[in-house]
Structure formats: C-alpha cells, structure tokens
C-alpha cells in the first residue's frame, strides 16, 4: 500500500487504498458529506463514492442503472481476469449477478442461511470459540484478530460447505489474497486460482460421493428441470467461502478493538448482557466491514453527477451508516441504540445472504470472549494494523488481560 | 394497531423477527410475514413500533383499523 500516491483532494481524487483512509475513513466521509457527498476519482478507472445514507440506499435499489456484474472495489490490474475467475464463467452469483441469474441462484443459497439453520450452527460456534479461548486465555495476551476473530467464521463456513476445517489457514490465505491484495495482481491471481482449483476437485469428488453439505446440495439441484452447471456451483462455492470468511471476521475484530479501547462500553456490556442484541446491531453499524461496487449500465445523472456507462460506483454502506442525517450521534457507539436502520448487510435485492449467520457468529464470539476475558485492553505500544478496500477490519490486534 | 409486511419491499434482513418474534415469522428464504391477522395486542404495541422503526427497507406498514 506504500505505492499509493498521496491524496490532495478527496472530492475529486479519492483513493480507498490510501493508508489514512484505511485507518480512519470516518472523518473523510464526514467532510465529503458536507462538501461533496458523491466524490469522484480517476484512479483505477472512473469511480464514484457516495457518502450519504439516502444516496447509498437509492443506488443499491436502482439495479437498472447500477449493475452487480462488476463488484470489485479494486479492479484487477493488467486487463485480463485471473485464470480462476475465467473458470467462473458466471462470476460468483448471486452477489455478482443481476436478475434473472441473481434470483434463482439466491434462492438455492438462502435456505442454508435461514434462521432455523443458523440456530443449528450456534452450538458448534460457541464450542469453537471456547476452544480458541482455552488456547490463550491463561497467557495474559493474545492477538484478538489473528488468534480469535480470524479463526471463527472460516471453520463454520467450512462445515457448511462440507470441506475440512483443518484447512482453515489455507482457506483464509486464499480469501485474503483475493480481498486484501487486489492491488497485487500476481497474489490475487494465485489466490483465486488455488481456490477455484480446490473446489473443482471437491465438486468432482461429490459427484461420486454426495454428502450432507451445501456443495452436494447444489450439485443435486435442478432449476426448471435442468441440473445447474458446474461453473455456477463453483461460483456459489467461491462466494460462500470468500464472503463468509473475510467479512464476519473483520467485524468481530473491529468489535473487539472497540471494546478494548472503550472501557465503559466493555464494562456495560458485561454488566448488562441483555444489551447484546442491540450492541451487535450497533457494532455492525459503526464498523460495517463491506463496501461493494456497481458498474453504471448507461449514462445517467445521479445527484448532479454525470455518471458514464462503464464507470464504477462504490456502494458505501459503511459510510451510509455514519451519516448524521440518518443516525443521531452517528460517530459514537451507542450500545442500546433503539432505532437502527443500518445497512451493514446492504439494501435491496442483494441483502447479504449470510446475515443471519454473521449476526450469530458476532454475538457468540463476543459473548464467549467476554465470559472468559471481561477485562482487556490494547497492549502498550501495540501495532494495530487494518485491512481496507473491499472489506475493512483489524488484521493484528494485540490485547492484554489479567 | 394492525400491521402488515409488504412482501415486495421485504428483503429478509429479519430485524422484525429478532425484535418481535411474537408478531413476525420468517420463512427459509428470509421473507417475513405477520403472524395471524396482524392485529397487535396492546401489550405488544411497543415491540411492533420498534420493529417498524428498525426495518431497513421500510417494509412494515401500520394500517388503520377499519
């Protein structure tokens, strides 16, 4: 990220990979909202950045002008897509699709993340968190991001997909290659290729030995009497892994960062566990990890901005959730916030298909941590590092406790 | 008080179900609906109001009694 050219004017030349933006985008959004609510940049192609809640929601709902066929916040450098992405002829639906492909692929996926199913994953998640805490709670210090947050969603998702949890570190590595090193085309190419090749083998194996898992279910599914193509199955599998791993771990990490640096909130949450459901929504609002992109389908004027066909728009859900026009005390975490129409999981037809799972994982991860380690803080002189771009969250979070 | 969920607006955020499971159900595809005829007993009106205020899609409507 050291290669980012310094930004002098955020309204006309923004850069989401700027280290200052990655560390603290909040003050930049606040400035833009009052001076230039839809910012623009020519870096990595013509791209727009809305910062107001109403604008972001309107963009997400206008699927005719803003297509999901290009969702990468950072386009692949160098033109041709990675080999792995070429095997995925249909992208990673439903997130990278417009109707009608979006509609039927989403219907295949949703039941796996329904309330009822997610309740069934809860005991496994709590047990997993307990095991991780067993590993470091006696040591007085831990990397709350690397030793804890990063370890949780990947194992739950592996169980749902029916792939071994023992490969968690490998999966995490691929997901990071794809999501966090988008400006390093070689690394991104390697990650996406390895991930797709892994699932090609897994699909072949399940054709002969189906199991009770999402991959097998997809392979056995028919749409209008026709089995779905392998490239669609591979795309959905890649999506579930990438979106199910990199996002939830980020918000678990950000929430632990908040609690490590805001002792009053931490003590209150320990003393008033009934606040947890509201606190989970509030932490999701304040530290929404995910920004998605859209591509403009035809020239359109949006809030006075002349958007051209082919331009990118960043659907800035994290920024929308900090808009003071939509939330009182938008830049404060209010644990018992009663009215909270946050859009951390998006808005409109692409509402995160895994939102029930993500909420459960965040709640259980915080409950289990606080039950075992109610009092913790950042290590003195700690180097907290953040990833940004498509997904924002801490990647190194050294904390100390009794 | 009487409420309904607009099925065209609901996108399955499930905030209503989390806040007021006595009043809402949600199917395997995330679609929410009111339980029964949507008439809210007085003791649950505060919960219904909370659910309405937290729906990110503005999908829950309060309907006047007829």
């Amino acid at each position: 990220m050291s290669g980012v050219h310094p930004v002098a004017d955020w309204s006309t030349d923004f850069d989401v990979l700027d280290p200052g933006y990655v560390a603290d985008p909040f003050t930049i959004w606040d400035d833009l909202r009052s001076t230039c609510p839809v910012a623009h940049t020519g870096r990595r192609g013509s791209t727009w950045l809305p910062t107001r809640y109403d604008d972001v929601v309107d963009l997400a709902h206008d699927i005719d002008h803003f297509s999901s066929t290009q969702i990468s916040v950072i386009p692949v450098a160098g033109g041709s897509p990675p080999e792995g992405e070429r095997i995925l002829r249909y992208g990673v639906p439903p997130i990278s699709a417009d109707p009608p492909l979006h509609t039927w692929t989403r219907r295949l996926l949703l039941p796996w993340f329904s309330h009822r199913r997610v309740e069934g994953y809860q005991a496994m998640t709590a047990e997993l968190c307990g095991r991780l805490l067993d590993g470091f709670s006696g040591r007085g210090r831990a990397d709350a991001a690397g030793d804890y947050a990063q370890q949780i969603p990947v194992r739950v998702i592996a169980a749902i997909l029916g792939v071994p949890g023992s490969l968690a570190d490998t999966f995490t590595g691929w997901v990071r290659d794809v999501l966090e090193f988008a400006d390093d085309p070689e690394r991104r190419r390697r990650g996406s290729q390895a991930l797709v090749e892994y699932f090609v083998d897994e699909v072949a194996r399940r054709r002969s030995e189906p199991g009770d898992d999402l991959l097998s279910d997809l392979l056995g599914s028919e749409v209008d009497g026709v089995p779905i193509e392998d490239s669609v199955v591979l795309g959905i599998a890649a999506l579930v892994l990438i979106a199910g791993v990199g996002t939830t771990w980020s918000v678990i990490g950000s929430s632990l960062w908040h609690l490590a640096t805001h002792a009053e909130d931490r003590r209150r949450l320990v003393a008033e566990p009934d606040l947890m459901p509201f606190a989970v929504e509030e932490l999701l609002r304040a530290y929404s990890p995910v920004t998605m992109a859209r591509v403009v389908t035809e020239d359109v004027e949006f809030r006075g901005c002349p958007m051209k066909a082919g331009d990118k728009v960043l659907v800035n859900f994290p920024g929308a959730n900090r808009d003071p026009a939509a939330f009182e005390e938008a830049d404060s975490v209010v644990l018992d916030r009663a009215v909270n129409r946050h859009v951390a999981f998006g808005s409109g037809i692409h509402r995160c298909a895994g939102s029930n799972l993500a909420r459960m994982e965040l709640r259980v991860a915080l409950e289990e941590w606080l039950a075992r380690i109610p009092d913790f803080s950042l290590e003195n002189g700690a180097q907290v590092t953040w990833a940004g771009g498509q997904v924002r969250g801490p990647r190194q979070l050294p904390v100390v406790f009794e | 008080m009487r409420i309904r969920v607009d099925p065209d607006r609901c996108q399955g955020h499930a905030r209503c179900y989390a806040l007021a499971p006595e009043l809402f159900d949600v199917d395997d595809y995330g679609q929410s609906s009111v339980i029964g005829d949507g008439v809210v007993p007085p003791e649950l009106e505060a919960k219904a109001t909370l659910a309405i205020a937290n729906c990110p899609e503005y999908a829950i409507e309060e309907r006047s009694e007829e």
Side-chain angles (χ1 to χ4, degrees):
Chain A
M1 301 220 177
S2 53
V4 174
H5 187 67
V7 174
D9 182 346
W10 282 92
S11 57
T12 58
D13 186 36
F14 73 82
D15 194 329
V16 296
L17 296 184
D18 178 273
Y21 184 95
V22 171
D24 176 14
F26 311 115
T27 50
I28 294 168
W29 295 330
D30 286 343
D31 286 344
L32 287 172
R33 253 183 241 111
S34 54
T35 55
C36 175
V38 183
H40 183 262
T41 189
R43 301 186 184 200
R44 307 180 200 92
S46 176
T47 307
W48 304 86
L49 177 72
T51 52
R52 289 183 175 167
Y53 182 95
D54 288 348
D55 294 350
V56 170
V57 166
D58 286 352
L59 274 164
H61 279 254
D62 185 355
I63 59 171
D64 293 328
H65 288 106
F66 304 104
S67 163
S68 284
T69 51
Q70 292 177 39
I71 48 171
S72 288
V73 164
I74 309 298
V76 182
S80 70
E83 173 68 19
E85 293 179 21
R86 257 183 282 145
I87 295 172
L88 304 180
R89 258 189 307 140
Y90 300 95
V92 287
I95 204 170
S96 67
D98 298 323
L101 175 62
H102 161 269
T103 315
W104 66 262
T105 51
R106 186 172 169 85
R107 248 188 115 67
L108 291 172
L109 200 50
L110 283 172
W112 283 84
F113 300 96
S114 71
H115 263 284
R116 277 167 272 273
R117 289 278 181 127
V118 164
E119 273 172 30
Y121 307 138
Q122 182 167 324
M124 166 181 67
T125 308
E127 193 187 301
L128 165 61
C129 293
R131 269 207 313 277
L132 294 167
L133 286 158
D134 286 343
F136 57 74
S137 60
R139 284 190 211 148
R141 63 180 307 279
D143 175 358
D147 297 338
Y148 191 66
Q150 182 180 306
Q151 305 296 329
I152 301 165
V154 64
R155 288 178 170 80
V156 179
I157 282 291
I160 294 170
L161 281 167
V163 296
S166 55
L167 291 178
D169 290 346
T170 306
F171 297 144
T172 299
W174 294 338
V175 170
R176 294 194 65 183
D177 289 345
V178 172
L179 287 179
E180 295 176 22
F181 299 90
D183 57 340
D184 179 348
E186 220 16 74
R187 186 164 178 173
R188 179 170 171 178
R189 187 166 281 124
R190 272 202 315 271
S192 80
Q193 172 130 5
L195 189 155
V196 171
E197 282 174 358
Y198 175 78
F199 279 119
V200 167
D201 291 345
E202 289 295 305
V203 161
R205 210 159 58 76
R206 274 171 191 71
R207 282 238 181 265
S208 49
E209 294 170 58
D212 179 21
D213 54 64
L214 172 54
L215 269 183
S216 302
D217 181 61
L218 292 173
L219 287 169
S221 297
E222 294 185 345
V223 174
D224 298 331
V226 182
I228 54 178
E229 285 178 51
D230 278 8
S231 48
V232 173
V233 175
L234 290 168
I236 295 176
L239 167 64
V240 168
L241 186 67
I242 295 167
V245 169
T247 54
T248 313
W249 125 45
S250 293
V251 74
I252 294 171
S254 297
S255 299
L256 288 170
W257 175 83
H258 180 86
L259 296 175
T261 53
H262 296 75
E264 269 177 44
D265 283 347
R266 189 179 66 247
R267 288 189 205 107
R268 190 171 175 207
L269 204 49
V270 170
E272 302 175 55
D274 289 352
L275 281 185
M276 189 56 90
F278 293 92
V280 161
E281 299 304 326
E282 177 65 346
L283 291 163
L284 281 162
R285 179 192 72 82
Y287 301 106
S288 309
V290 182
T291 301
M292 299 301 297
R294 299 286 188 266
V295 60
V296 178
T297 57
E298 57 177 331
D299 292 4
V300 62
E301 190 175 295
F302 182 84
R303 302 296 178 271
C305 300
M307 298 183 177
K308 301 279 175 219
D311 283 3
K312 281 282 193 67
V313 183
L314 306 188
V315 197
N316 182 12
F317 296 115
N321 283 337
R322 294 281 190 140
D323 183 352
F327 302 93
E328 287 176 30
E329 295 185 75
D331 276 332
S332 301
V333 168
V334 181
L335 289 181
D336 58 354
R337 188 183 292 276
V339 176
N340 195 345
R341 290 184 210 265
H342 73 77
V343 285
F345 294 112
S347 180
I349 66 166
H350 287 279
R351 186 269 307 168
C352 170
S355 60
N356 295 325
L357 179 66
R359 283 191 164 99
M360 182 277 285
E361 290 174 330
L362 174 58
R363 177 175 54 77
V364 170
L366 295 180
E367 284 172 349
E368 295 295 318
W369 177 288
L370 290 175
R372 199 80 73 88
I373 307 176
D375 193 13
F376 62 104
S377 57
L378 286 189
E379 195 172 289
N380 258 342
Q383 283 288 347
V384 178
T385 57
W386 296 82
Q390 196 101 36
V391 178
R392 180 177 186 273
R395 292 297 171 261
Q396 191 176 301
L397 182 59
V399 297
V400 289
F401 41 85
E402 289 297 307
Chain B
M1 187 181 192
R2 192 187 175 102
I3 54 174
R4 83 179 271 270
V5 175
D6 181 340
D8 294 328
R9 283 182 166 258
C10 175
Q11 298 291 350
H13 296 258
R15 300 291 305 282
C16 55
Y17 178 73
L19 290 164
E22 306 91 335
L23 295 171
F24 299 92
D25 198 5
V26 54
D27 70 14
D28 283 351
Y29 299 93
Q31 183 73 55
S32 289
S33 56
V34 296
I35 294 171
D37 59 6
V39 175
V40 180
E43 69 273 18
L44 290 177
E45 281 189 5
K47 279 199 168 190
T49 304
L50 197 61
I52 291 170
N54 277 284
C55 177
E57 306 287 349
Y58 292 81
I60 309 168
E61 297 165 359
E62 189 178 346
R63 308 157 89 194
S64 53
E65 298 277 4
E66 276 154 40

